[in-house]
Amino acid sequence: MDFQSLSFPDAPMIKVSPPGPKSQEYLDFQSNTEGGAVSYPKGMPMALHKAKGATVMDVDGNVYIDFFGGAGVMNVGHSNPEVIKAAEYQLARITHALDVPTPARRTLVKMLFQVLPTEIEKVFFGGPTGTDAVEAAMKLAKYNTGRIPMIAFEGSYHGMAAGALSLTSGLQFKEDFYPLLPEVHFVPYAYCYRCVYGKKPESCDLECARYLEHVLEDPHSGVGKPAALIIEAIQGEGGSIVPPGGFIPKVRQICDTYDILLIIDEIQAGFCRTGKMFAFEHTGTVPDIMTMSKALGGLGFPISCVAFKKNLDTWTPGKHIGTFRGNVIAYAAGSAGLKFMLDHNLADYAANLGQTMLSWLKEIEKDSKIIGEARGKGLMLGVELVKDKDSKEPAPDLAIKVRSICHRHGLLIEIGGHYNNVARFLPPLILTEELALKGIEIFEDAVRNAQKTY
Ligand SMILES: Cc1ncc(COP(=O)(O)O)c(C=O)c1O
């Protein structure tokens, strides 16, 4: 398929510097009427009119290249015609059914079992958002083990409800809301650019994983035996962090040794984004429980799912409930989205295009004084911005500047990372190489501009 025809032609096209007058009206209305926690329009001030493929149009007619992808939701591209068709078909039939079976639900479950590891034999649809899947996964682990403690990783992001927030490491999200869940412990992720052990990936002995083992082994570590450990196989909000190949298998082995359930959170990295259907597939590791959401809903229809090994299926009817236990439109759209991913081999496409984009970013890194590291896998890429390459002092203000310049020149990007200093790219996976290059050129210019005025 020609992915080019999925996006608006001639992107980017900036007719009026954003926010244009119409966008401004929407933004003023929003800030007068909606609560102060609204955040994305602060970094990308505009109001959106429509979107197609890897491009979006604001209400002033500006067209942007989308490296943001709805925070990793739009894997098959905005307004994907095949997904729209499936959603429209379903819309005219039934749209809400709690957990009563429907043809759409059965089709999605069958399709999921085509792509899940064979060891994972059960799925469960909970509330509509990724956070809900994390909450359900943690409850399932606690229910099965009868244990309370949990282990999560520095740099993690698992969501915003109290349980998931407890497992999220960023203090800016949680410190105003204590007490959260007790007995959640954080250990270092394999964040090699800022290795807490001062090691280099070429010569390290996975000290971070060894520390995890120590915590579990030493009766004086202060950490009680956990129900589960939750991890992203590639960290998203933490700054597009790809751990070295041995890290996730080592964590799996430690979980097995100490009889701890392993939950892998695929909410952001899943569904072909990193060049495999699920990011853990890069490591040959299979979780006991996994979480999915975001791209699962096809075009952003809200849905989340927990999948797990059969022996953990101990919940009795009603043990975990909710009004929106799955979403019938999302089942239909999700099945069409998954079919599109498989028919067009989006995993390989994302792997190849991601590799190309990373090589361009690595070239830019060489000449830049403020790029500490360009990294990522598939189309989950990140560029860590620093004040100085030697000291690695984080530069969150530069990241904000770069995002703002990109926006004004027609490119949408995300910011994340431990210090909010990582420019993150999560484009729809149907991005063409031509749009990818245009986007990277805008980014390069923005980095150069930001560096000049620094
Ligand atoms: C890895 C991961 N887990 C969980 C979540 C929470 O999902 P949601 O925002 O849909 O609740 C996110 C959101 O970005 C995520 O990236």
Side-chain angles (χ1 to χ4, degrees):
M1 181 187 221
D2 165 23
F3 287 164
Q4 196 177 350
S5 63
L6 292 177
S7 295
F8 290 124
D10 304 325
M13 189 173 46
I14 297 299
K15 293 182 173 169
V16 44
S17 187
K22 288 186 185 157
S23 284
Q24 193 56 58
E25 266 181 47
Y26 280 93
L27 292 166
D28 291 344
F29 176 79
Q30 184 178 48
S31 63
N32 289 334
T33 53
E34 296 184 33
V38 165
S39 60
Y40 280 119
K42 303 284 187 295
M44 295 182 274
M46 64 183 165
L48 289 176
H49 175 45
K50 52 187 180 178
K52 215 166 139 25
T55 50
V56 301
M57 187 187 286
D58 72 15
V59 292
D60 295 285
N62 293 320
V63 180
Y64 306 84
I65 298 171
D66 185 10
F67 278 11
F68 173 64
V73 167
M74 305 307 310
N75 291 17
V76 296
H78 297 275
S79 308
N80 183 300
E82 292 174 30
V83 182
I84 288 181
K85 203 165 130 202
E88 281 178 349
Y89 174 90
Q90 190 56 46
L91 194 56
R93 284 165 178 78
I94 183 166
T95 54
H96 184 256
L98 291 145
D99 52 9
V100 178
T102 58
R105 186 178 182 115
R106 189 172 65 175
T107 303
L108 180 61
V109 171
K110 280 187 178 170
M111 290 210 69
L112 279 173
F113 283 121
Q114 272 179 37
V115 299
L116 289 168
T118 49
E119 294 88 335
I120 302 281
E121 291 181 281
K122 288 282 176 179
V123 293
F124 176 83
F125 297 104
T129 190
T131 297
D132 297 315
V134 171
E135 297 283 340
M138 178 164 49
K139 280 173 74 177
L140 188 66
K142 290 185 174 185
Y143 186 78
N144 271 285
T145 60
R147 301 194 290 258
I148 297 296
M150 292 286 297
I151 290 193
F153 285 80
E154 295 172 10
S156 62
Y157 186 86
H158 297 294
M160 283 287 114
L165 186 55
S166 307
L167 303 171
T168 293
S169 61
L171 294 177
Q172 80 267 29
F173 299 120
K174 60 202 288 190
E175 63 190 352
D176 298 315
F177 304 105
Y178 292 140
L180 293 169
L181 293 191
E183 293 299 323
V184 176
H185 304 279
F186 290 87
V187 292
Y189 195 79
Y191 179 14
C192 301
Y193 179 67
R194 296 184 187 277
C195 177
V196 286
Y197 302 96
K199 299 282 177 180
K200 296 264 174 279
E202 320 69 83
S203 55
C204 88
D205 196 18
L206 290 176
E207 277 76 3
C208 42
R210 287 178 184 282
Y211 177 72
L212 166 66
E213 184 147 36
H214 151 78
V215 158
L216 296 169
E217 177 276 324
D218 186 336
H220 269 254
S221 69
V223 178
K225 183 165 175 161
L229 176 150
I230 183 164
I231 192 165
E232 295 155 82
I234 294 177
Q235 275 190 340
E237 299 304 305
S240 308
I241 300 173
V242 185
F247 179 67
I248 300 285
K250 181 76 185 161
V251 168
R252 169 79 268 184
Q253 182 216 312
I254 294 169
C255 285
D256 289 343
T257 305
Y258 292 90
D259 185 28
I260 294 162
L261 294 173
L262 175 63
I263 304 172
I264 299 192
D265 183 344
E266 288 281 341
I267 287 168
Q268 186 166 135
F271 299 109
C272 304
R273 171 143 309 276
T274 68
K276 297 275 185 197
M277 183 54 71
F278 298 108
F280 58 69
E281 291 174 24
H282 292 287
T283 71
T285 304
V286 176
D288 299 302
I289 304 174
M290 60 186 279
T291 55
M292 297 169 271
S293 186
K294 291 203 190 259
L296 176 60
L299 289 178
F301 295 104
I303 185 167
S304 79
C305 182
V306 190
F308 45 93
K309 291 183 175 165
K310 204 174 182 172
N311 64 313
L312 299 174
D313 189 27
T314 51
W315 273 349
T316 46
K319 201 43 107 183
H320 188 71
I321 57 170
T323 307
F324 298 107
R325 258 171 281 177
N327 171 319
V328 194
I329 307 292
Y331 300 140
S335 303
L338 260 171
K339 183 171 180 322
F340 185 92
M341 288 175 204
L342 296 171
D343 287 352
H344 299 282
N345 199 356
L346 273 199
D348 282 354
Y349 183 81
N352 292 333
L353 183 57
Q355 188 66 43
T356 305
M357 288 175 73
L358 185 58
S359 68
W360 295 336
L361 290 170
K362 288 276 181 203
E363 282 303 311
I364 302 170
E365 176 189 329
K366 273 192 212 150
D367 293 336
S368 167
K369 291 194 173 74
I370 59 167
I371 296 183
E373 185 180 57
R375 57 177 177 250
K377 212 165 185 63
L379 289 171
M380 189 161 175
L381 298 165
V383 177
E384 178 143 2
L385 299 170
V386 291
K387 294 187 177 157
D388 176 90
K389 282 189 168 199
D390 292 327
S391 73
K392 298 187 178 177
E393 187 184 340
D397 41 348
L398 272 175
I400 289 171
K401 207 176 251 179
V402 167
R403 177 176 58 184
S404 166
I405 300 172
C406 284
H407 183 225
R408 290 203 300 275
H409 291 90
L411 174 72
L412 307 181
I413 64 169
E414 157 89 301
I415 295 180
H418 285 226
Y419 302 93
N420 286 321
N421 65 325
V422 180
R424 301 194 59 228
F425 306 158
L426 295 162
L429 309 183
I430 47 71
L431 181 73
T432 59
E433 187 166 327
E434 191 190 342
L435 280 179
L437 182 58
K438 284 186 189 170
I440 294 286
E441 283 169 357
I442 294 172
F443 177 75
E444 182 178 14
D445 251 20
V447 168
R448 219 179 279 128
N449 263 327
Q451 185 175 304
K452 238 189 274 163
T453 54
Y454 201 53

